[in-house]
Amino acid sequence: MQRRDLLKAAALGSALWFPVGRHAMAMARPGAQPAQPRLVVILLRGAMDGLSVVAPYTDPDYARSRPDLAMAKPGSADGLLDLDGRFGLHPALAPLMPLWQKGQLGFVQASGSHDPTRSHFDAQDYMETATPGRKTTQDGWLNRLMQAWPASPVVGTSASRAVSVGAVLPRICQGRYNIANLPSVAAVARPGVLDKPRVASAFEKLYGNDDAMGRAYREAQQARQEVRASMEDDHGPDMAAVDRGAPLPNGLPDDAARLSQVMRNDPRVQMAFLALGGWDTHSAQGTVKGRLAQRLEPLGRGLAELAQGLGPVWQDTAVMVMSEFGRTVRQNGTGGTDHGHGNVMMLAGGRVHGGKVHGEWPGLESRALHDGRDLAITTDFRDVIAATMAQHLRLPDSAMNTVLPGYTGAATALKLMRA
C-alpha cells in the first residue's frame, strides 16, 4: 500500500470491512455455488411512518388527517409513485421501483404487533424476540431460527453462517447460536485518533511541506468530517437511546455493497441482520423533503445496491424490513407524527411475490382506527416471519414453535413467495 493510500485509510477510519467479535470471517473465492436460500433482516428503530412510505392516497381520511404531511397523489409535482391504483410509494424510494416492476418487491400493510405498547424499548424487544407482551424471553428469533434451520452441506458448521452488522450484537441475534459481528461503515462517525487535536496538529506539521501528501490528508479529513456530520444530523441523545446504537441509514449503501460482496462470494453466509436508526419523526417529518425523506433516500439506495450487488444470489435471497410500530394517522402540532400502532413491512428478493400490497386494509375512518388514533393491525408481524420461513427457507412446521413460541397463526396465511 502506498503511503498516500495508507494515510487516507487511517483518516477515514478504514474502508475495509473485517469481522469483529467472537469469529473471523473466511472469504471464499467467487465461483459456482449451489442454490440455497438466504435471508437479510433490517430493523428500522424509532418507528417508521408507514403511512408515508406506502401511502393510501385513495383513502379520503388520509389527506384529511394530514393536511401538511399527506403525500401528493401520483402524477402531481413531487407526487407518490403509483403502486396499484390505491397505494403509492414515497418518491425518495424511487430506486426500488424497478424491483416492484419486476415483481421482486412487495409490502404488507396494516401489519405489526398486537401488543398495545407505545414504548420503543418494549416494542423493539417484542419484535426482536417475536414474543409480544412477554418480557422474560431472553433470546432473539433470528438466533432461534439459526438453530432450527438445517445447514446445507456447503455451509456445514461454519461460524460465518449468520452475521450481524453493527457495533454490538442486538437482542434479535442473541442466544445459543454464535452469530458473528461485522462493523458498520458508521464506525467512521465515531471520533478516532486523528480527531485528537495534538495528533491532527502533528500530521499537519509532518505533511505541511509535502503538497501531495498534505492535500491527501486534508481531503481525507474533510471527507471524514462530512460523513460524521451527515450521520450525526439531529441524532440527539434521546433519539440515540431509542436507536440502541443503530446508525442512521446514511451508511447503508456502503454497508449493502460490502454485505452483498460477502454473501455473493461466500456461500456459507445465509443470514444477515442490520439495524438502522433515526425513524422517530415527532417533528419536521416533511413530505418529499424533511427528516423522513432524509432517512428513506439512503434506505432506497442501499436496498437497490444490495439487490444489484448480490447478482445471481439475489434470486435466492429474501430481504425483510420491519419497524417496531407505526405512527399516528393524524399529524401533531410540530410537523410530525407520534407513536402509533399498525405499520407496513417490506419484502424484496428474487422469489418474492412482489408487485403487490399484501394484507387487509382496514381504512382510516375514525371508527376503524385503533384507540381512535392509529392504523389498526390486520396482519401479525409473525405471520410474515412464518410465511417467509415456510415458503422461502422451507422450514418444516415443527420448527415454527421453536422460532415463534406461542404463535398460533398459519404460515399459509400470506402468499409471500413464488414457488
Side-chain angles (χ1 to χ4, degrees):
M1 178 182 287
Q2 298 295 318
R3 193 165 55 133
R4 177 189 180 93
D5 295 332
L6 179 62
L7 181 60
K8 282 190 173 183
L12 287 171
S14 177
L16 299 175
W17 222 23
F18 55 91
V20 296
R22 290 170 289 179
H23 307 294
M25 173 82 70
M27 292 294 295
R29 294 181 179 179
Q33 303 173 12
Q36 59 185 357
R38 316 285 188 100
L39 177 66
V40 178
V41 177
I42 301 176
L43 178 59
L44 307 180
R45 298 189 187 275
M48 174 192 71
D49 180 34
L51 291 176
S52 288
V53 174
V54 180
Y57 66 86
T58 60
D59 191 316
D61 290 289
Y62 171 65
R64 190 178 301 140
S65 300
R66 298 181 168 204
D68 302 312
L69 296 183
M71 303 296 299
K73 293 183 177 181
S76 307
D78 295 326
L80 292 161
L81 306 175
D82 189 48
L83 293 176
D84 61 357
R86 291 197 308 158
F87 296 96
L89 187 67
H90 194 292
L93 294 175
L96 299 183
M97 282 303 292
L99 294 178
W100 172 268
Q101 292 160 355
K102 293 177 183 177
Q104 297 179 351
L105 171 68
F107 302 94
V108 184
Q109 263 288 16
S111 59
S113 168
H114 287 289
D115 187 89
T117 184
R118 298 186 190 278
S119 162
H120 290 293
F121 309 103
D122 287 346
Q124 287 179 31
D125 282 347
Y126 296 155
M127 185 157 277
E128 292 186 70
T129 62
T131 55
R134 188 193 304 174
K135 294 188 176 184
T136 56
T137 308
Q138 297 300 312
D139 53 359
W141 71 263
L142 277 179
N143 195 287
R144 297 195 298 271
L145 170 62
M146 297 311 300
Q147 297 175 52
W149 182 6
S152 67
V154 71
V155 174
T157 57
S158 170
S160 61
R161 187 178 173 217
V163 298
S164 173
V165 180
V168 297
L169 195 68
R171 190 164 190 178
I172 196 171
C173 293
Q174 292 177 10
R176 289 183 299 168
Y177 192 93
N178 289 329
I179 294 179
N181 267 117
L182 296 178
S184 168
V185 71
V188 74
R190 292 191 290 271
V193 65
L194 292 181
D195 295 305
K196 296 181 178 180
R198 291 180 61 185
V199 177
S201 177
F203 267 85
E204 289 283 1
K205 292 178 181 178
L206 180 62
Y207 296 113
N209 296 323
D210 187 324
D211 290 342
M213 293 303 297
R215 184 168 60 254
Y217 171 74
R218 287 189 294 273
E219 289 174 355
Q221 280 293 79
Q222 181 179 358
R224 179 177 174 83
Q225 291 168 5
E226 289 172 356
V227 170
R228 290 185 61 191
S230 70
M231 288 183 172
E232 288 170 357
D233 191 23
D234 48 13
H235 209 223
D238 292 338
M239 189 175 290
V242 167
D243 294 342
R244 295 181 169 182
L248 294 178
N250 304 53
L252 180 62
D254 286 336
D255 278 344
R258 290 167 172 80
L259 180 60
S260 64
Q261 182 181 15
V262 169
M263 296 185 75
R264 186 181 68 241
N265 291 347
D266 192 338
R268 295 168 297 181
V269 183
Q270 290 186 280
M271 190 283 289
F273 173 79
L274 303 93
L276 304 171
W279 301 91
D280 198 15
T281 51
H282 284 287
S283 62
Q285 177 172 310
T287 52
V288 293
K289 295 182 179 179
R291 187 171 294 168
L292 180 61
Q294 291 170 0
R295 307 292 185 257
L296 291 175
E297 192 274 333
L299 175 65
R301 286 193 294 114
L303 292 174
E305 174 65 40
L306 184 63
Q308 181 177 0
L310 283 172
V313 177
W314 176 251
Q315 185 61 33
D316 304 310
T317 301
V319 181
M320 181 187 303
V321 183
M322 56 177 56
S323 194
E324 66 259 37
F325 47 66
R327 308 196 72 82
T328 50
V329 173
R330 301 180 185 90
Q331 67 183 60
N332 60 27
T334 57
T337 50
D338 298 320
H339 299 177
H341 194 53
N343 207 343
V344 67
M345 293 177 69
M346 185 185 309
L347 281 168
R351 291 187 52 246
V352 166
H353 184 200
K356 181 178 179 179
V357 179
H358 298 265
E360 177 187 349
W361 178 247
L364 299 179
E365 57 182 343
S366 296
R367 64 182 180 179
L369 300 182
H370 173 77
D371 285 348
R373 52 173 273 174
D374 303 320
L375 176 65
I377 290 174
T378 59
T379 299
D380 190 314
F381 78 98
R382 293 171 297 177
D383 291 340
V384 179
I385 296 174
T388 302
M389 289 193 302
Q391 299 168 28
H392 178 61
L393 304 183
R394 307 297 186 187
L395 259 68
D397 292 341
S398 58
M400 295 297 170
N401 290 335
T402 299
V403 182
L404 302 174
Y407 171 68
T408 57
T412 58
L414 295 168
K415 181 174 172 52
L416 299 180
M417 300 291 162
R418 292 188 172 88

